[in-house]
Amino acid sequence: MSTIPPGTRIYAVGDIHGRRDLLSRMEQLILADLEDDPAEPLVIFLGDYVDRGPDSAGVIERLSSCGFGIPITALRGNHEDLLLSFLDDPSVLDSWRGFGGLETLHSYGVDVSEALRGRGYRQACEQFARKLPASHRRFLEDTALSHACGDYFFCHAGVKPHVALERQASKNLLWIRNEFLKFEGSFGKIVVHGHSPVPAPEAHANRINVDTGAFATSRLTAVVLEEAGRRFLSATP
């Protein structure tokens, strides 16, 4: 059986995508699950907090405010990477808008009427830079690409097979899909990830996928890892 340090309980939460309601519900489930008070709880968010759903700004506010009462580690997803790239280069919106970026801008009060027509990207960027709270930007910039604990390796998208975990390129940690998902061999640790939506959480010998498409399915999933094994929590409205 895969192990983590004694007394530790990890909650790894899948892609939120602007569903603050589901994030709040997951918080309630985690706090209720902690009533037996393990020594060292940790919540790991696997990235993709923004885009597609209705309240990306609310999700970032909740995560950046340190209000959970237990330690959290926030990893970066490809959608956060696009957001940060847009702040440096307005032309990124040409691709980001296809990933739900306009919904994120709208949640921050940015006028996206011109961007909907494929123009006005610089003006949208300037508005966003003004409206994005400094605490939100710091939170996004401080997101990590990966985290390891015991026999588990946490990242957003996955890893490239046959490459040591400590040598993984950021583009793979943020974006990889088929090459990772189809690989059945060992990665060195069990990879816990999101990024690739599935109808129900998947637990394979080499990876665990907890992205259950929350923005579309209204189901946010977390895997609970502890000495006793693993189980899943599901947050619904």
Side-chain angles (χ1 to χ4, degrees):
M1 180 179 291
S2 302
T3 62
I4 59 174
T8 300
R9 181 181 294 174
I10 294 176
Y11 300 86
V13 183
D15 305 34
I16 300 168
H17 278 306
R19 291 297 301 267
R20 183 176 181 175
D21 58 331
L22 297 180
L23 174 59
S24 297
R25 178 60 182 146
M26 179 60 74
E27 180 184 7
Q28 294 170 359
L29 292 175
I30 290 172
L31 292 175
D33 195 65
L34 283 169
E35 289 180 355
D36 60 354
D37 193 25
E40 295 183 50
L42 173 64
V43 181
I44 300 175
F45 292 98
L46 296 171
D48 280 7
Y49 316 115
V50 302
D51 298 349
R52 296 187 170 138
D55 194 7
S56 293
V59 169
I60 300 301
E61 173 60 27
R62 189 72 192 88
L63 293 176
S64 64
S65 66
C66 303
F68 264 71
I70 55 176
I72 73 168
T73 292
L75 303 185
R76 183 174 303 185
N78 57 309
H79 288 257
E80 287 76 54
D81 203 55
L82 284 168
L83 183 158
L84 291 169
S85 296
F86 170 63
L87 287 167
D88 292 329
D89 179 3
S91 70
V92 169
L93 190 53
D94 203 40
S95 57
W96 186 30
R97 64 196 291 245
F99 289 88
L102 296 183
E103 289 90 330
T104 294
L105 296 179
H106 180 71
S107 76
Y108 278 96
V110 174
D111 181 357
V112 297
S113 57
E114 289 296 298
L116 282 167
R117 299 175 174 85
R119 59 196 189 209
Y121 293 170
R122 181 167 298 281
Q123 291 85 346
C125 182
E126 291 171 351
Q127 279 192 59
F128 185 43
R130 291 195 303 269
K131 291 176 178 290
L132 182 67
S135 59
H136 290 203
R137 185 162 187 165
R138 282 194 304 272
F139 169 82
L140 292 163
E141 291 175 339
D142 287 346
T143 49
L145 291 175
S146 65
H147 181 84
C149 183
D151 293 336
Y152 295 96
F153 181 85
F154 304 85
C155 62
H156 175 62
V159 299
K160 187 176 181 65
H162 308 300
V163 175
L165 294 175
E166 65 272 14
R167 296 179 57 199
Q168 292 289 327
S170 59
K171 67 178 181 179
N172 290 320
L173 294 170
L174 295 172
W175 289 94
I176 199 169
R177 192 160 271 148
N178 289 340
E179 185 180 4
F180 165 68
L181 298 175
K182 292 179 179 180
F183 185 70
E184 296 182 352
S186 173
F187 297 114
K189 293 179 182 286
I190 295 176
V191 178
V192 183
H193 67 98
H195 185 61
S196 298
V198 287
E202 295 178 338
H204 299 275
N206 61 355
R207 64 181 181 87
I208 300 172
N209 184 358
V210 290
D211 180 7
T212 49
F215 80 95
T217 65
S218 293
R219 182 185 181 195
L220 179 64
T221 297
V223 61
V224 187
L225 305 171
E226 53 196 340
E227 286 183 89
R230 65 178 72 127
R231 52 195 170 84
F232 296 95
L233 295 178
S234 180
T236 56

